[in-house]
Amino acid sequence: MSAGTRLASDSRADEFVARHAIGDPVVGEALVADDNFSARYDLDRLAGIFSRPTHRLAGFSYVDRILVLNTAKGGVASAWMLHEMAARKRAPLAIVFNSVNPILVQGAAFAGMTMLSGFDVDITSVVPQGARVRLDPRARVLRVLGEGGG
Amino acid sequence: MNLRLVRDEERRMRLTPDEKAMLAGELGPIARIALEHQVKVGEFFGARDFVPVTQAHVMADTESLGEAGVAWLESLAGMSEGRAAVCVPTITDPRGTDFAKVGVLKQAAWMVDLEHRAIDAFVKLGVSMTNTCINYQTVQAPTRGEHVAFGDTGVVIYSNSVCGARSNYEGGPSALSAGLTGRTPRYAYHLDECRRATVRIRVDWQPRSLNDWGSLGAVIGKLAGDYWAVPVLEGMENAPGSDALKHFGAAMASFGSVALFHMVGITPEAPRLRDVGGENLPLAHRIGEAEVKALQAAYSSDAEIDVVVFSAPQLSLYELQNLAALCDGRRFTKPLLAVTSPQVKPDADRFGITGRIEAAGGHVLAGMCFYQSYAREIAEANGWKRLATNSAKLANILGGYGYSLRLASMERCVEAAQTGMLR
């Protein structure tokens, strides 16, 4: 079994292994979009919602959700902002990316936030909207526990 | 042995005796905290070890830090045991205000107070408050092969691509950590193999104005896709100037999170296509004027404007000179803000440039950047909704802050400040 692949002989169809992971295990509701992420560019951090009108999650609350997105966008501010959002308890529970840039990882490390990235499948296409998911960073595994309503 | 444990062991960074001592707290708590953070990031990316850096550049406006970030800085600055300050030259990105222009921006007292607290903490940590995102034009440009730890995506892409230096995006906590430890994890753009081109693009049109350069960078950034993409560009006829490459790179980084590009025959690592591995790549995209104008047209919903902003990146002396010439003989009906660095502003004052812009009713601000200065709050305080700029980067960022953006040349933006309409 190699990192970054879907599990084979001992696999479950609802488990996906990441190449990179940081943070503690968490369980929560997934908020999924084939779109990218920057705390500066995309969020109203006071309201706790995606605010960029063109973002596919515009108007959705990200607070305490496990965000499942494509990649990180540019802007170094997210490294501070994840920490600031976590301090006010207005932060995502965790973030999962197909690919990530250093800023979001630095932000996760600083904020104590869980983050996974790097899958052999498009992770935004296999996690159902609203699904309950478990992230285990030590094993680098995302597991879908149950389908969502959305 | 369990395969997972083997892999976890392989991911552990190799530390020197000095680094082990730092991690054990032998150099004091600040160095330990900084190195612990860096190890977490390094191991995420599979860094084998650390690389020494010669400079660090810290992005840390207080809108990003918030109360929690400032309190964290103050807690670091309050530790006196062991090494209590940075050990390599460490400078700062723009602040969240120009203290002389707080009234113009209508910023609240709490914002100013937070800025003062952050500055006090940085100074105690030995950080030099240069407050600039154009340090490669104003403080000290890095040289080819120099390993640095720079924040601000525009600074990183310029330093990597135009100067040939080596930096990843270093967010504030990581850049400050690099200043405190004198090193950074060796991954991504510190490694030769990550600096090879990954996407080959031909440009069939030569930009003229700075907003065209920024828009071209934006188009390429969107096509490139993510941080790990390294575009190599063919077809550039002449070497662009520093301001053109500044807007070009800043927009590419903003739209695509790109940290390194090569221009064949122009940037230092790509005298020839094959020098960056480009000859083995298929031509992935051709970009012409139509693609650039289409990007600009996406920002043309409303002719009426409330404010004109030149910022992101901060303006060079030459940009301010050009702006002053456009302001001569005009009287603005809408606010015009031109933001520069604290290093450029005194020269602009001495040469009469500031006076010419302000005689038309504009404002020259220093040491801040518009989008890093509580852009949402100052929009509400001033009634600014429709903003015109020549910066593709600024246009990209401010959408999330509730602004309606117009992206146009400096000439058209200045005219809009006079008439209130961008045509």
Side-chain angles (χ1 to χ4, degrees), chain A residues 19-20 40 52 80 100 106, chain B residues 11 44 59 171 228 396:
Chain A
R19 280 183 281 276
H20 310 285
R40 164 100 74 192
R52 171 179 287 273
W80 290 113
V100 71
Q106 293 159 8
Chain B
R11 280 174 174 258
F44 182 98
M59 177 275 170
W228 308 96
N396 188 38

Side-chain angles (χ1 to χ4, degrees), chain A residues 18-76:
Chain A
R19 280 183 281 276
H20 310 285
I22 193 170
D24 296 323
V26 292
V27 176
E29 183 183 326
L31 183 61
V32 187
D34 178 16
D35 207 333
N36 304 325
F37 180 82
S38 160
R40 164 100 74 192
Y41 292 21
D42 295 325
L43 307 183
D44 181 336
R45 289 175 291 120
L46 294 178
I49 60 169
F50 281 85
S51 59
R52 171 179 287 273
T54 55
H55 199 285
R56 290 188 177 160
L57 296 176
F60 282 86
S61 170
Y62 57 77
V63 177
D64 292 333
R65 298 291 192 276
I66 294 178
L67 302 180
V68 181
L69 297 161
N70 184 35
T71 190
K73 285 192 299 203
V76 294

Side-chain angles (χ1 to χ4, degrees), chain B residues 348-370:
Chain B
D349 292 346
R350 284 195 304 126
F351 301 158
I353 293 169
T354 304
R356 290 161 65 192
I357 295 168
E358 297 195 338
H363 300 279
V364 179
L365 304 96
M368 55 167 274
C369 186
F370 186 84

Side-chain angles (χ1 to χ4, degrees), chain B residues 302-372:
Chain B
D302 201 345
E304 200 168 342
I305 59 105
D306 301 316
V307 62
V308 171
V309 178
F310 299 113
S311 183
Q314 291 173 333
L315 275 65
S316 70
L317 188 65
Y318 297 163
E319 288 175 283
L320 284 175
Q321 267 180 336
N322 291 337
L323 177 59
L326 293 167
C327 292
D328 288 341
R330 294 186 191 267
R331 189 67 206 166
F332 298 140
T333 62
K334 300 290 182 182
L336 180 149
L337 311 178
V339 183
T340 189
S341 77
Q343 297 77 39
V344 167
K345 177 70 164 39
D347 279 350
D349 292 346
R350 284 195 304 126
F351 301 158
I353 293 169
T354 304
R356 290 161 65 192
I357 295 168
E358 297 195 338
H363 300 279
V364 179
L365 304 96
M368 55 167 274
C369 186
F370 186 84
Y371 74 85
Q372 293 174 299

Side-chain angles (χ1 to χ4, degrees), chain A residues 1 3 19-22 40-41 43-46 51-53 71-77 79-81 83-84 87 99-103 105-106 109-110 115 117 138-140, chain B residues 3-5 7-8 11 37 41 44-45 59-61 63-66 68 72 152-153 169-174 187 226-228 253-254 257 371-372 376 396-397 399-401:
Chain A
M1 184 180 79
R19 280 183 281 276
H20 310 285
I22 193 170
R40 164 100 74 192
Y41 292 21
L43 307 183
D44 181 336
R45 289 175 291 120
L46 294 178
S51 59
R52 171 179 287 273
T71 190
K73 285 192 299 203
V76 294
W80 290 113
M81 286 177 171
H83 174 262
E84 187 271 338
S99 74
V100 71
N101 72 8
I103 295 302
V105 177
Q106 293 159 8
F110 186 50
M115 186 170 288
S117 85
R138 179 157 172 75
R140 298 198 291 280
Chain B
L3 198 58
R4 176 78 65 194
L5 291 177
R7 203 175 302 120
D8 286 347
R11 280 174 174 258
H37 170 79
V41 175
F44 182 98
F45 286 112
M59 177 275 170
D61 65 72
E63 190 214 333
S64 304
L65 272 77
W72 179 79
D152 190 295
T153 56
Y169 286 178
E170 299 272 10
S174 294
Y187 66 95
D226 69 23
Y227 184 76
W228 308 96
S254 175
S257 200
Y371 74 85
Q372 293 174 299
R376 188 185 307 280
N396 188 38
I397 293 172
Y401 283 87

Side-chain angles (χ1 to χ4, degrees), chain A residues 121-144:
Chain A
V121 295
D122 174 1
I123 197 66
T124 69
S125 69
V126 294
V127 177
Q129 187 68 273
R132 193 162 174 77
V133 300
R134 174 182 174 82
L135 307 184
D136 181 352
R138 179 157 172 75
R140 298 198 291 280
V141 167
L142 179 155
R143 176 175 295 166
V144 179

Side-chain angles (χ1 to χ4, degrees), chain B residues 204-217:
Chain B
D204 295 321
W205 173 74
Q206 306 302 307
R208 291 172 291 274
S209 63
L210 294 180
N211 70 303
D212 283 347
W213 275 106
S215 302
L216 177 61

